[in-house]
Amino acid sequence: GAIFNLLLNFILIKPFGMMGAAVATLLSYALLPVIEYFIVRNLYPVPYEWIRLLKLALVSIGIYCIGAPIKTGQIAIDLFFGTALLFFWGLILYVWRFFTKAEVAWAQEKVKNGWLALRARF
C-alpha cells in the first residue's frame, strides 16, 4: 500500500497538487482491503456470499441516495421519513430474496413473541 501510495504521489502531485496527493492516499487506502483479502483468504478462507453482499450494498446505497436530500429541519418529520426509509430498506431486501428462509422464520418468531408479550401487558 505504501509503495502504491508513493508511486501515485509521484504521478499525481505534479499535475494536481494537493488534490493529487489526496486521491493517491484514497486509492492507497482502498487498495489495502483488496490486498488483505487475497492474502488472508489463503490463511483463513471465509465463504463470502458475494451476491447477498452486492444486494445489500445496492439497496443501502439507493435508500441513502433517496434519504440524504430529505432534510426538513423538523425532528418529527425527519424521524418519520427515516423510519419509513428503514422499513422500505427491509422490504426491498425481502422482495429481492436477500433473507434466507431460516432468517425469515427467526424474524417471524421474534415478531410473534413480541406481539404476545405486548398483548400480555395490556
Side-chain angles (χ1 to χ4, degrees):
I3 294 169
F4 185 65
N5 190 330
L6 287 172
L7 178 66
L8 285 178
N9 277 322
F10 282 120
I11 295 170
L12 297 176
I13 287 179
K14 189 166 186 169
F16 300 109
M18 284 190 305
M19 289 305 294
V23 169
T25 303
L26 175 70
L27 293 175
S28 298
Y29 275 103
L31 179 66
L32 288 177
V34 175
I35 293 170
E36 289 173 0
Y37 169 75
F38 287 107
I39 292 171
V40 172
R41 76 176 182 172
N42 295 325
L43 300 172
Y44 187 78
V46 176
Y48 290 107
E49 299 178 48
W50 292 108
I51 299 298
R52 288 185 77 195
L53 289 172
L54 180 64
K55 287 179 181 180
L56 181 62
L58 289 175
V59 172
S60 298
I61 291 169
I63 291 292
Y64 174 78
C65 289
I66 292 168
I70 301 175
K71 300 274 188 283
T72 64
Q74 297 180 359
I75 293 175
I77 295 173
D78 289 345
L79 185 61
F80 171 77
F81 280 125
T83 305
L85 287 173
L86 184 62
F87 172 77
F88 284 117
W89 176 78
L91 182 65
I92 293 168
L93 287 173
Y94 178 76
V95 169
W96 257 13
R97 300 181 193 273
F98 172 80
F99 302 108
T100 64
K101 289 181 182 179
E103 291 167 342
V104 171
W106 177 84
Q108 287 173 340
E109 180 184 340
K110 294 299 177 189
V111 168
K112 178 183 169 189
N113 290 343
W115 178 253
L116 292 175
L118 188 64
R119 281 186 43 178
R121 286 200 162 201
F122 297 103

